[in-house]
Amino acid sequence: MSESNSAGMFSGRKSEGLVLVVDDEPDVRKVVRMTLEKSGYTVLEAEDGEKAIAEMKKDENSLLLSLIITDIRMPNMNGIDVINYYRKEWPSVPLIVLTGFPDMDMATSMLQHGIADYLVKPVEAEKLRSSVSKTLEKREVHGF
Amino acid sequence: MNNTDQTNIVILGAGKGGTALLDLFTRLPGVTVVGISDQNPAAPALEYAKRLNIPITQDPVQLIRHPGTHLIVNVTGDPDINEQVNTHKHPETEMLGGAASKVLWDLVQDESQMQAQLFQAEKLAGMGTFASGIAHDINNPLYILLAFSENILEETDLPTIHKQARSIIAAGKRIQSISQKITQYTRAAKVQDAVSINVNSTLDEALNIAQFATMLQDISIIRNYEDNLEVLANSEELFQVFVNLMTNAIHAMEGKGTLTVTSYHEDSFGKISIADTGSGIPDENLSKIFEPFFTTKPKGEGTGLGLHNARAIIKKYRGDLSVESTIRQGTTFVIELPYATSK
């Protein structure tokens, strides 16, 4: 399992895309990384929004970023704040919310705010992969 | 009956009936229980009365003769006692016995059963509030647990398998601890006895549960505890009151604010204040919040019994629950309970 945290360092076979995973739980990040790396994605991790931005400012990560998968629990922010936070920084990078909240109202309101998908933990590996690949396909079609 | 505001009552019999009546009478304003008797020194209400500083005796005649008594309630079920009452009581003292006292006892029991059902209803309604918070807390470790287990089925690298197995165990333990917190909350209170309770640890346990209602919210919690504060109450019930007041406070802040929990003592009372920085309660509602079925929540979300029950519990332990509120600044609930000197 690659522990590399910089997209510039991956080599060999071509990456399917650079995905940033934001969650305050290291094991959750590890699970997402493990799941996506098996499908050829390159995964970066960050503990919270601020660290995510710091991570992306390294090297040329920001240019390569294809997708953000994020939890919506963050200090001093509500769910919508979290979305707007990323929007401000990277207006064209799609967001997938991965949360423990099985809340329909929340999901609807988030999707209305333009997120690509709302996934509830525990999410099956296949479902996570297909959500990521669909989101990235759409992105190519729309030519972000 | 004399033309005074105060009714002095004597209870003969300290079994189940005597206990229920003692409990009722001591909660009624304007009623003083001047004494209780039972020939059996181990009768339950005698022990109860002792704690309430109500005189007890094994000799009913001593109580029957007590001057200034307005009413003698006889729940001994002993036919000889009626005769003794008639012989020894003051002419102006009235007596309630036989079928009449039995009916009174039945009424008291029925009332307390209804109270218990109402408590249960409120608890279940409260549970709904926490459900999504609890689901969130369980889903995180569940995700870790399932994903690593699936991976281990295919994984061949032994150190990785070991590492992930450890994560699975840690995740399982987290779910276990959540489950313990929940059972603690849903367990119905059985013991009614007032015992010395560690206020701060009960507050912490309640905060553990109340934090399920703060999910996705920007709410900070401040604890100002006086060390080793102990009060006399029932820990399950006190826990329930704390959770109730804390969740109310969290709801009142609508997603943003500070919950301050303070414990201290003043004279012979241990005090606990639970303060929010929410929208405050308008004056016209402030006088009604302890009334049963009063709620400002939409239909189906509140039973309107939470604060009513909370105050009933606190009063039962000779305490008080009061409120102060300022519009746009917040609301503070203060519980006071008899202070237990440290063991």
Side-chain angles (χ1 to χ4, degrees):
Chain A
M1 200 186 298
S2 163
E3 296 284 336
S4 153
N5 226 13
S6 168
M9 283 178 68
F10 70 88
S11 56
R13 93 197 134 106
K14 183 182 170 293
S15 169
E16 294 290 326
L18 177 62
V19 179
L20 173 67
V21 182
V22 189
D23 198 297
D24 60 349
E25 280 209 42
D27 272 346
V28 168
R29 300 197 299 265
K30 210 190 261 179
V31 164
V32 175
R33 167 196 281 276
M34 186 180 79
T35 310
L36 294 181
E37 279 181 349
K38 280 183 187 169
S39 299
Y41 296 98
T42 305
V43 179
L44 293 181
E45 296 179 23
E47 197 179 317
D48 56 37
E50 250 174 68
K51 297 216 170 77
I53 288 175
E55 192 57 46
M56 295 321 295
K57 292 204 164 140
K58 279 189 204 160
D59 305 331
E60 50 199 11
N61 284 348
S62 201
L63 295 170
L64 297 168
L65 183 65
S66 340
L67 171 70
I68 299 169
I69 299 178
T70 182
D71 193 2
I72 38 175
R73 254 183 101 185
M74 281 198 205
N76 308 316
M77 286 190 208
N78 67 30
I80 303 294
D81 290 343
V82 172
I83 291 176
N84 291 335
Y85 179 80
Y86 292 117
R87 270 289 130 72
K88 217 177 119 201
E89 203 69 21
W90 302 291
S92 61
V93 176
L95 282 174
I96 291 178
V97 165
L98 177 61
T99 169
F101 268 97
D103 185 330
M104 277 305 290
D105 293 343
M106 175 80 74
T108 314
S109 129
M110 295 256 162
L111 289 164
Q112 278 166 352
H113 276 78
I115 63 164
D117 207 350
Y118 185 94
L119 300 175
V120 176
K121 299 170 196 165
V123 61
E124 282 165 28
E126 232 7 82
K127 196 172 175 190
L128 176 62
R129 288 192 196 112
S130 103
S131 170
V132 168
S133 70
K134 273 186 198 148
T135 305
L136 293 180
E137 271 166 37
K138 256 191 227 159
R139 192 186 187 206
E140 274 157 32
V141 172
H142 290 293
F144 279 107
Chain B
M1 197 187 294
N2 284 351
N3 218 359
T4 63
D5 290 342
Q6 198 62 32
T7 309
N8 295 332
I9 296 182
V10 154
I11 302 172
L12 306 180
K16 270 191 193 166
T19 311
L21 291 176
L22 180 64
D23 188 48
L24 170 70
F25 291 150
T26 51
R27 274 186 287 145
L28 293 178
V31 169
T32 304
V33 178
V34 296
I36 181 165
S37 79
D38 201 297
Q39 279 159 348
N40 171 14
L46 293 185
E47 192 51 43
Y48 187 18
K50 249 192 246 170
R51 279 208 311 273
L52 301 177
N53 288 325
I54 290 168
I56 60 170
T57 172
Q58 280 172 258
D59 175 18
V61 175
Q62 200 189 333
L63 278 183
I64 295 167
R65 285 185 171 149
H66 193 279
T69 300
H70 302 108
L71 179 66
I72 295 171
V73 181
N74 173 14
V75 281
T76 56
D78 175 359
D80 298 342
I81 295 265
N82 280 345
E83 214 181 297
Q84 284 179 313
V85 172
N86 288 327
T87 317
H88 299 287
K89 78 173 181 71
H90 293 263
E92 69 272 23
T93 305
E94 295 174 39
M95 187 186 75
L96 193 68
S101 66
K102 169 81 170 57
V103 167
L104 183 60
W105 173 23
D106 287 346
L107 277 174
V108 170
Q109 281 191 318
D110 191 58
E111 153 87 9
S112 73
Q113 259 171 26
M114 201 170 79
Q115 279 285 346
Q117 280 162 7
L118 290 179
F119 275 122
Q120 208 54 36
E122 174 65 20
K123 249 188 183 178
L124 289 174
M127 220 38 221
T129 319
F130 302 122
S132 73
I134 292 167
H136 176 275
D137 270 28
I138 289 178
N139 285 344
N140 267 316
L142 199 57
Y143 180 38
I144 293 164
L145 195 150
L146 288 173
F148 279 147
S149 307
E150 273 174 37
N151 188 62
I152 281 177
L153 286 177
E154 302 164 0
E155 186 63 63
T156 50
D157 177 48
L158 202 57
T160 304
I161 291 176
H162 283 175
K163 218 169 147 187
Q164 297 188 348
R166 277 193 290 273
S167 291
I168 289 172
I169 293 169
K173 285 192 172 153
R174 271 170 62 195
I175 297 175
Q176 183 186 31
S177 111
I178 294 163
S179 150
Q180 279 164 352
K181 283 183 202 170
I182 302 167
T183 44
Q184 195 172 35
Y185 179 68
T186 48
R187 199 170 52 205
K190 288 179 193 114
V191 199
Q192 299 289 315
D193 292 344
V195 290
S196 191
I197 291 164
N198 182 323
V199 170
N200 301 341
S201 65
T202 312
L203 281 171
D204 283 339
E205 282 168 27
L207 280 167
N208 274 339
I209 288 292
Q211 54 101 10
F212 285 129
T214 66
M215 296 287 158
L216 288 187
Q217 300 189 348
D218 177 16
I219 291 187
S220 38
I221 295 173
I222 297 175
R223 300 168 207 230
N224 293 322
Y225 293 167
E226 177 181 309
D227 287 345
N228 306 321
L229 182 66
E230 295 195 356
V231 292
L232 290 173
N234 169 274
S235 72
E236 301 268 339
E237 289 178 313
L238 193 57
F239 172 71
Q240 198 186 324
V241 171
F242 288 167
V243 171
N244 187 296
L245 295 177
M246 286 169 184
T247 351
N248 282 350
I250 290 162
H251 285 158
M253 292 186 279
E254 293 170 350
K256 208 173 179 72
T258 305
L259 173 70
T260 308
V261 180
T262 310
S263 69
Y264 55 106
H265 86 277
E266 233 174 59
D267 305 324
S268 58
F269 285 98
K271 295 196 172 189
I272 299 107
S273 82
I274 293 169
D276 66 56
T277 55
S279 49
I281 303 167
D283 276 347
E284 65 266 28
N285 287 348
L286 208 54
S287 57
K288 297 184 212 146
I289 58 168
F290 293 110
E291 286 172 15
F293 307 110
F294 176 79
T295 178
T296 55
K297 288 180 192 159
K299 234 183 172 165
E301 283 186 26
T303 59
L305 289 169
L307 285 172
H308 172 73
N309 288 346
R311 182 176 251 188
I313 289 172
I314 300 299
K315 291 250 178 195
K316 187 162 83 181
Y317 296 107
R318 324 264 132 195
D320 201 9
L321 173 62
S322 57
V323 60
E324 268 176 32
S325 188
T326 312
I327 291 295
R328 283 186 297 278
Q329 287 184 23
T331 304
T332 303
F333 282 89
V334 178
I335 297 167
E336 54 174 59
L337 280 163
Y339 180 54
T341 41
S342 280
K343 277 181 268 182

